[in-house]
Amino acid sequence: MANSASGMAVHDDCKLKFLELKAKRNHRFIVFKIEEKIQQVVVEKVGGPDESYDDFAASLPADECRYAVYDFDFTTNENCQKSKIFFIAWAPDTARVRSKMLYASSKDRFKRELDGIQVELQATDPSEMSLDIIKGRAL
């Protein structure tokens, strides 16, 4: 279960919640954190389908790294309703260096566990994952 490079395991709940978001669409977003003591990625917060992008952005801590998945609904220029699943690697400048290294080294393996991610974003401050940027990347 663990990756020899980073030694990081992924809790089954992470995959289950992601499948619920992708297939059943009963979550708007999921925030994941690495529990360093047990060397495992776990679900920290799940946002209901009625929660907004602002609710999602507010759930990312200002000085700690996180992984997050956001289900973005939008309308194309041709007036089609679509949605895209974003993977966001949140690594604020104020986070501990060790934490940033741990999240960076574990990211690709964790992302492989979540089948169905369509867009990836790296963000070190809220301006790098503003709603305008999300919209621009979705279209």
Side-chain angles (χ1 to χ4, degrees), residues 61-65 90-97 99-100 124-125:
D63 55 359
E64 288 180 42
C65 299
W90 172 246
D93 292 329
T94 51
R96 295 184 349 261
V97 171
S99 176
K100 287 193 249 191
T124 57
D125 87 27

Side-chain angles (χ1 to χ4, degrees), residues 17-100:
K17 294 282 183 237
F18 180 74
L19 282 172
E20 290 172 4
L21 176 143
K22 185 174 86 168
K24 298 181 187 160
R25 309 209 56 205
N26 49 4
H27 310 306
R28 172 66 54 204
F29 63 86
I30 310 168
V31 178
F32 304 96
K33 74 182 277 189
I34 292 177
E35 284 291 355
E36 290 187 40
K37 287 182 181 69
I38 57 172
Q39 292 288 296
Q40 194 172 57
V41 181
V42 297
V43 173
E44 181 178 56
K45 182 176 192 320
V46 175
D50 301 332
E51 294 201 47
S52 70
Y53 188 78
D54 290 336
D55 297 328
F56 164 65
S59 66
L60 295 172
D63 55 359
E64 288 180 42
C65 299
R66 291 292 185 270
Y67 300 128
V69 173
Y70 184 79
D71 187 7
F72 180 61
D73 292 323
F74 62 101
T75 306
T76 65
N77 297 337
E78 294 80 39
N79 220 12
C80 292
Q81 284 293 114
K82 289 201 166 180
S83 86
K84 285 216 171 142
I85 298 174
F86 279 74
F87 178 86
I88 297 168
W90 172 246
D93 292 329
T94 51
R96 295 184 349 261
V97 171
R98 183 174 184 278
S99 176
K100 287 193 249 191

Side-chain angles (χ1 to χ4, degrees), residues 75-133:
T75 306
T76 65
N77 297 337
E78 294 80 39
N79 220 12
C80 292
Q81 284 293 114
K82 289 201 166 180
S83 86
K84 285 216 171 142
I85 298 174
F86 279 74
F87 178 86
I88 297 168
W90 172 246
D93 292 329
T94 51
R96 295 184 349 261
V97 171
R98 183 174 184 278
S99 176
K100 287 193 249 191
M101 288 170 54
L102 183 62
Y103 275 80
S105 66
S106 307
K107 182 186 75 172
D108 288 338
R109 177 179 188 279
F110 179 59
K111 232 177 69 190
R112 280 197 300 273
E113 299 282 343
L114 307 179
D115 185 37
I117 288 166
Q118 294 157 304
V119 185
E120 182 185 340
L121 264 185
Q122 294 267 50
T124 57
D125 87 27
S127 69
E128 294 178 345
M129 50 171 269
S130 69
L131 196 52
D132 288 340
I133 288 173

